[in-house]
Amino acid sequence: MIDIVFWIFLVVVIFTDIRYKKIYNCSTFTVAFFGIFYNTFLQGVSGLTNSLIGLVVGLALLGWVYKLGGCGGGDVKFVGAVGALMGYEFVVMGSIWGFILAGIIVSFLLIIKKQFKSTWGNTLEFLKLFFLTGFKQMSRNPMNVDLPYGVFLSFGMMAYKLWGG
């Protein structure tokens, strides 16, 4: 049952993130609650603990990226929901696969658009501002790359499920 919900959730996220550039709360909250309740039903306190840790770890994985302006709130809630459903180990590894996939594709797109060098310069400036001023003078992601990260994260989760986990 978990696997069915997992695959349907990822397909929904891919569709809505591409089509509407949003990951809706109704899907993330539903999956998070389902994961918590279902894992608790199957495994008792151990399942509840694993789901809650997965939720928190998932939120933490992208919470700082969201705070820096690198992703949307839906992406954060999506990864948290996957953590609640699949557990913290899965969400960490699946997210790593998604980050790698996103990095490769973004780098490729920046090279094609001949923006790779300027983007890395902006990124270094962004990091310098962050370390010197914290969040005080930061307005948005300086890389100006607007991509549906939920799609990349979903494909990373899928890849990890099929080949790694």
Side-chain angles (χ1 to χ4, degrees):
M1 182 65 127
I2 289 274
D3 286 345
I4 293 169
V5 172
F6 171 78
W7 290 104
I8 291 171
F9 182 46
L10 296 186
V11 168
V12 168
V13 166
I14 289 168
F15 175 78
T16 60
D17 207 13
I18 289 173
R19 171 96 177 169
Y20 304 108
K21 296 187 184 222
K22 291 186 81 62
I23 299 172
Y24 291 99
N25 289 341
C26 61
S27 62
T28 56
F29 291 170
T30 301
V31 169
F33 286 124
F34 173 81
I36 292 167
F37 289 119
Y38 191 75
N39 287 322
T40 302
F41 176 75
L42 287 181
Q43 302 166 2
V45 174
S46 171
L48 173 64
T49 303
N50 287 336
S51 283
L52 292 176
I53 291 171
L55 175 68
V56 170
V57 167
L59 294 172
L61 277 172
L62 283 185
W64 66 275
V65 178
Y66 170 76
K67 183 69 175 168
L68 294 175
C71 72
D75 300 314
V76 177
K77 291 177 268 187
F78 161 67
V79 175
V82 171
L85 186 67
M86 304 299 286
Y88 73 91
E89 291 174 16
F90 183 93
V91 79
V92 168
M93 294 307 298
S95 295
I96 289 170
W97 285 51
F99 293 148
I100 291 168
L101 178 63
I104 290 168
I105 292 174
V106 167
S107 295
F108 180 72
L109 291 173
L110 291 173
I111 289 168
I112 288 174
K113 292 181 176 185
K114 299 183 190 246
Q115 295 176 332
F116 192 80
K117 185 176 178 183
S118 65
T119 299
W120 277 109
N122 290 342
T123 303
L124 294 175
E125 185 65 27
F126 178 79
L127 291 172
K128 183 174 88 176
L129 264 176
F130 171 73
F131 286 114
L132 292 177
T133 66
F135 294 111
K136 295 177 186 142
Q137 295 181 9
M138 300 175 69
S139 58
R140 80 178 290 282
N141 180 354
M143 294 188 286
N144 295 322
V145 177
D146 186 25
L147 292 172
Y149 286 110
V151 173
F152 299 115
L153 290 168
S154 293
F155 282 124
M157 302 288 179
M158 288 177 178
Y160 181 64
K161 180 76 172 157
L162 290 172
W163 296 295

